[in-house]
Amino acid sequence: MRPLFALGMIVGAALSAALPAGAQALKNHNTDAPVDFAADRIEVQDKANRAVFSGNVHATQGNMILDAARMTVAYTNQKSAGNPSVQRVDASGGVTVHSPDQTARGNFGIYDLNRRIITLLGAVTLIQGSNTVRGGRLVIDLNSGRSVMDGSAVAGAAGTTTSAGGRVTGRFTVPERK
């Protein structure tokens, strides 16, 4: 059945899309690795070119893990190849992405595959070891490797919260000097 085959392709692209901040963490990620996923419900809306994963969404590819309450994958059908082409992934509800050395959390996550930009919105926290940075929006450009944390989420976005006073806050540990 085409929708089930498409679902597997969509999940693979979706997981590789929703990765944590810092292009260096993404550099060595094997996007060809198999994807394991679980959700309380999966609905393929083939006429709308989207798949919706809801309820305790958990996806793993290699050493990357994505957890969210809901994930929507928008795709286009490639008639010549017969495979869907994922365009955008939206995740919501306690979005958490883990890599071996980083954890990123936010209320919402967006990955624009065409532009190769990942955005986390709303009460964003990025943790690496004992270092923590908090803000309203984290934008990762996979083309340039540049990551930017803003103090507030996109102006007026409903349901988003900002960090204290709309500023970027954090703590970096300093190694003991001898």
Side-chain angles (χ1 to χ4, degrees), residues 5-87:
F5 176 74
L7 179 65
M9 297 298 292
I10 290 165
V11 172
L15 183 63
S16 64
L19 299 175
Q24 296 304 315
L26 301 173
K27 201 173 205 176
N28 298 319
H29 179 67
N30 180 4
T31 58
D32 294 327
V35 176
D36 296 313
F37 66 91
D40 294 341
R41 183 167 192 245
I42 300 170
E43 177 183 345
V44 176
Q45 301 169 352
D46 207 33
K47 287 187 179 182
N49 289 337
R50 74 176 157 238
V52 179
F53 303 80
S54 58
N56 302 306
V57 179
H58 180 82
T60 304
Q61 183 180 43
N63 55 13
M64 296 290 190
I65 300 168
L66 166 69
D67 292 307
R70 180 180 171 98
M71 181 172 70
T72 302
V73 179
Y75 60 91
T76 59
N77 285 317
Q78 302 294 329
K79 296 194 189 279
S80 61
N83 295 330
S85 173
V86 175
Q87 304 296 307

Side-chain angles (χ1 to χ4, degrees), residues 110 119-122 136-139 150-162:
I110 302 164
T119 305
L120 285 176
L121 296 166
R137 178 176 62 177
L138 173 65
V139 178
D150 293 327
S152 60
V154 176
T160 60
T161 57
T162 61

